[in-house]
Amino acid sequence: MKKKFACEIDCANCAQKVEDAIRKVDGVVDVKVNFLMQKFTLEAEDASFEQVLDAAIRAGQHVEADFTVAR
């Protein structure tokens, strides 16, 4: 499953750090954090998507406290 979410991220460097951290989360197939569009795209298996999404958001907030995702 692949879903897009609105997000808030302050700069392109921060977006890259968040993307790198989320990419390390178990279950993440692909991730994109677009600073200009303020979009967060996550691809993960359907069966565990919500759990992976929660872990991905936590990982993103761990490296960049201002990272927020609108569900």
Side-chain angles (χ1 to χ4, degrees):
M1 175 183 295
K2 186 176 192 177
K3 284 190 176 182
K4 292 182 181 183
F5 302 90
C7 74
E8 210 169 295
I9 191 82
D10 293 336
C11 69
N13 189 41
C14 297
Q16 186 62 52
K17 287 193 290 186
V18 167
E19 194 173 292
D20 291 344
I22 292 172
R23 191 165 271 117
K24 296 175 185 175
V25 172
D26 286 340
V28 171
V29 174
D30 193 26
V31 61
K32 300 281 187 250
V33 180
N34 187 315
F35 162 69
L36 291 176
M37 300 293 291
Q38 297 287 293
K39 295 285 182 188
F40 166 61
T41 305
L42 179 67
E43 185 175 352
E45 294 295 323
D46 291 355
S48 59
F49 189 84
E50 288 299 318
Q51 292 85 2
V52 173
L53 175 61
D54 291 340
I57 292 170
R58 283 193 306 275
Q61 290 173 336
H62 180 73
V63 297
E64 186 58 46
D66 294 335
F67 177 66
T68 57
V69 176
R71 291 175 139 192

